[in-house]
Amino acid sequence: MTAPVSAAKRDRVIVFDTTMRDGEQSPGASMSHDEKLELAKILEEMGVDVIEAGFPIASNGDFEAVRDISRIVRNSTIAGLCRAHQVDIDRCAEAIRPAARGRIHIVIATSDLHMKHKLQMEPAEVLEAITRSVSHARNLCDDIEWSAEDATRSDRDFLRRAIEAAIRAGATTINLPDTVGYTYPTEYADLFRYMIANVEGADRAIFSTHCHNDLGLAVANSLAGIQGGARQVECAINGLGERAGNAALEEIVMALKVRGDCLPYETGIDATHITRASRYVSAITGFPVQFNKAIVGKNAFAHESGIHQDGMLKNRETYEIMTPESVGQAPSSLVMGKHSGSHAFRAKLKDLGYELGQNALKEAFGRFKDLADKKKHVYDDDIIALVDDALARGSERIRVVHLRVVAGTEGQSAELTLAVDDVEKSAAASGDGPVDAVFNAIHEIVPHEAALRLFQVHAVTEGTDAQAQVSVRLEEDGRIATGQAADTDTLTASAKAYVNALNNLFSRKEKGRPETAIASGF
Ligand code: KIV
Ligand code: ZN
């Protein structure tokens, strides 16, 4: 039988990141294999306790992501999601086998609505499935999380019995998701208090929150869950997740840090990594972070009004409850110019939280020199865009070699040369606007059926010579791929971002990711 959870563990909140699983279920937020590996490294460095790396039975892509992340991450536990089916659990166990610490996460719905209409199972059958699936998983792994999907709309007494069955079968974490973002903080806190007080064996498990943001209450509910006794929070960077998203990791972590007087629980998170993680997730998914988003928004630490600025000059604490530095949002400073050497560049990257290998460093330095030639001032944000761009590029079957665009009142056309599997091919095309002309030229060279789902441009820094960061999302047969690129030339960045998305789409096709992965249909 599992031993009771120690007092030390009860003073700490375990941070469980689900950006790559629930976050990726957000329509359009798919990430490539290499992007997931990079994100896993960032999360590990940040001190995330558990990284939910995917849903291994859903697709080969998810399986490979969980397996490869299990190979490279040493300090965080790697979790894979499964339904309460033996095949799901076996596939998950195989994926997490290389992990230093692996976790099997089983989910089954417990609300009447879900059991009747979705699972088409009687409550007694659900209880049997819990015992069977958790016992099977426990024979394969010591760390088992069990989730009661739609817990907040489940009958309390049935939920209590379901949790007891899961703990008896060996579950060590009990997650009570607010799957549809329906609960209220007081109600959610009470749910945890009730279950912790009434479930037989509750002292042998950690209780966990998992909140969706349909009513904008995900973070408030997660904190209320902690008040009610939960000691694990499931969350995602930038609040990514199904529909309106999950609770935002950065908001929960900073609420716990800033208001330790209200909730005196430690997390293992080094918050100075938060901004970098947020920017990276935004870049690879193409989901922008709203300017006024708490903690990671561009304006989160901006003080515009005269009264506020005056107060800040006298004492920062007048209007600042945490410093931008504490979340890694140092003011973007001027960095080196074109005469800077590679040692200074490497030191700057280290300051910004990047440790690149020899080849990646050389490549990034070359790109920095090109940028410094084109742009008068190179800022930290430029360097971040440049490195994230390279990290997000992944496979490069197709590359942009040359682009010339004519734009203006007389019409728009593009001449483009791409290297496709190292063979150069050229085309000229016109379009409704220069970007359309560029994309039409790509179509001429690489015919494909993918539809453009997102085209987004933002300036990395201020000024008319700022780099443009472009995100492109393509969709073909239910497969979604995102690409991004940064360049001082918006049209070059657009061409590169489109080509990057195509490369990701083609590599996903080669890996045979099914057209419709099992997403929310647990
Ligand atoms: O929202 C939900 O219920 C989930 C479970 C898989 C934990 O994402
Ligand atoms: Zn969820």
Side-chain angles (χ1 to χ4, degrees):
M1 188 186 279
T2 319
V5 174
S6 67
K9 277 195 176 163
R10 299 221 177 267
D11 289 341
R12 199 174 174 280
V13 170
I14 296 167
V15 175
F16 176 116
D17 177 274
T18 186
T19 311
M20 285 185 261
R21 200 278 300 166
D22 208 317
E24 212 202 18
Q25 280 173 211
S26 183
S30 68
M31 302 165 211
S32 72
H33 185 77
D34 292 346
E35 288 162 355
K36 286 185 183 175
L37 297 196
E38 186 58 31
L39 178 56
K41 286 191 225 155
I42 294 174
L43 296 174
E44 179 185 31
E45 249 179 77
M46 191 198 281
V48 163
D49 300 287
V50 186
I51 300 173
E52 187 166 50
F55 186 6
I57 196 76
S59 67
N60 290 338
D62 263 42
F63 174 83
E64 284 161 14
V66 177
R67 183 198 56 200
D68 293 351
I69 289 171
S70 296
R71 286 180 178 149
I72 59 164
V73 168
R74 295 294 91 185
N75 300 321
S76 313
T77 296
I78 306 303
L81 182 68
C82 336
R83 293 166 301 177
H85 299 329
Q86 191 166 330
V87 316
D88 285 38
I89 294 167
D90 291 346
R91 189 80 171 137
C92 178
E94 198 187 331
I96 61 166
R97 191 161 301 137
R101 279 187 295 275
R103 171 179 294 190
I104 297 179
H105 177 190
I106 302 170
V107 60
I108 190 165
T110 51
S111 67
D112 289 346
L113 201 67
H114 278 235
M115 288 191 289
K116 182 165 177 218
H117 297 285
K118 192 186 69 176
L119 298 177
Q120 295 176 339
M121 287 167 83
E122 290 299 322
E125 291 175 305
V126 170
L127 290 179
E128 272 168 36
I130 294 169
T131 304
R132 204 180 327 112
S133 58
V134 175
S135 309
H136 179 67
R138 190 58 203 252
N139 287 330
L140 303 171
C141 177
D142 286 343
D143 186 346
I144 307 297
E145 172 165 340
W146 177 78
S147 281
E149 194 190 8
D150 207 17
T152 52
R153 293 191 302 168
S154 300
D155 173 80
R156 275 209 177 178
D157 194 54
F158 178 70
L159 182 58
R160 178 187 60 74
R161 288 194 290 138
I163 298 171
E164 283 172 352
I167 293 177
R168 254 196 321 272
T172 41
T173 301
I174 298 294
N175 184 33
L176 303 181
D178 183 29
T179 304
V180 291
Y182 177 75
T183 201
Y184 246 54
T186 43
E187 186 181 61
Y188 201 47
D190 186 56
L191 179 68
F192 282 94
R193 272 189 208 108
Y194 176 86
M195 293 302 165
I196 291 169
N198 291 290
V199 160
E200 205 185 303
D203 62 332
R204 300 205 299 276
I206 292 279
F207 280 70
S208 169
T209 68
H210 178 110
C211 296
H212 281 269
N213 206 28
D214 301 64
L215 291 172
L217 291 172
V219 170
N221 285 335
S222 305
L223 297 173
I226 297 171
Q227 271 169 330
R231 290 294 175 268
Q232 174 177 286
V233 273
E234 300 197 356
C235 44
I237 303 288
N238 296 342
L240 210 62
E242 283 267 8
R243 305 180 311 278
N246 280 98
L249 178 147
E250 59 279 6
E251 295 178 24
I252 292 175
V253 166
M254 291 316 288
L256 289 173
K257 277 198 198 295
V258 173
R259 295 305 309 271
D261 55 328
C262 295
L263 282 174
Y265 305 110
E266 298 280 318
T267 71
I269 300 291
D270 175 353
T272 58
H273 292 260
I274 281 178
T275 300
R276 165 151 159 61
S278 164
R279 284 186 180 150
Y280 188 67
V281 168
S282 172
I284 62 179
T285 56
F287 277 42
V289 174
Q290 86 196 43
F291 280 13
N292 60 338
K293 160 91 177 60
I295 317 295
V296 289
K298 208 179 166 89
N299 290 354
F301 296 94
H303 300 274
E304 186 71 30
S305 93
I307 294 176
H308 286 206
Q309 285 176 349
D310 182 54
M312 285 285 291
L313 288 173
K314 289 178 174 139
N315 181 342
R316 283 177 76 152
E317 285 179 24
T318 49
Y319 288 102
E320 204 169 70
I321 59 167
M322 60 197 146
T323 63
E325 292 79 11
S326 68
V327 296
Q329 212 188 93
S332 185
S333 58
L334 192 60
V335 291
M336 314 135 294
K338 60 180 165 189
H339 302 297
S340 311
S342 63
H343 288 298
F345 183 68
R346 185 206 295 247
K348 177 48 104 180
L349 286 183
K350 200 155 183 257
D351 273 0
L352 295 172
Y354 295 94
E355 293 273 6
L356 301 188
Q358 236 1 74
N359 290 345
L361 182 70
K362 207 167 151 212
E363 206 247 4
F365 184 61
R367 280 159 47 82
F368 159 70
K369 284 288 199 188
D370 290 346
L371 184 64
D373 270 339
K374 289 191 215 157
K375 201 172 177 287
K376 208 157 79 195
H377 302 302
V378 179
Y379 296 88
D380 286 355
D381 284 349
D382 285 313
I383 305 265
I384 290 167
L386 182 144
V387 180
D388 282 349
D389 184 18
L391 291 174
R393 234 175 305 131
S395 112
E396 281 211 281
R397 269 191 61 197
I398 313 169
R399 276 182 299 110
V400 175
V401 177
H402 165 85
L403 175 66
R404 183 184 151 81
V405 179
V406 177
T409 51
E410 307 308 312
Q412 297 83 24
S413 60
E415 288 167 20
L416 175 70
T417 303
L418 298 178
V420 183
D421 292 329
D422 291 328
V423 178
E424 289 197 5
K425 298 181 178 180
S426 301
S430 56
D432 293 333
V435 175
D436 195 41
V438 172
F439 290 0
N440 287 342
I442 296 175
H443 255 279
E444 289 277 322
I445 301 173
V446 188
H448 56 277
E449 297 298 319
L452 181 67
R453 293 285 178 237
L454 173 94
F455 171 69
Q456 182 178 279
V457 186
H458 87 261
V460 172
T461 55
E462 270 134 45
T464 48
D465 68 346
Q467 287 193 89
Q469 189 158 45
V470 177
S471 299
V472 165
R473 188 180 307 137
L474 299 175
E475 183 178 359
E476 190 183 272
D477 296 334
R479 290 184 182 88
I480 293 173
T482 306
Q484 60 114 5
D487 200 286
T488 46
D489 182 274
T490 309
L491 296 166
T492 302
S494 304
K496 287 183 175 171
Y498 194 106
V499 161
N500 182 211
L502 266 187
N503 281 325
N504 286 339
L505 188 69
F506 293 156
S507 90
R508 211 154 286 188
K509 267 178 162 174
E510 277 159 22
K511 287 191 178 135
R513 191 183 169 106
E515 288 170 19
T516 320
I518 304 161
S520 41
F522 306 116

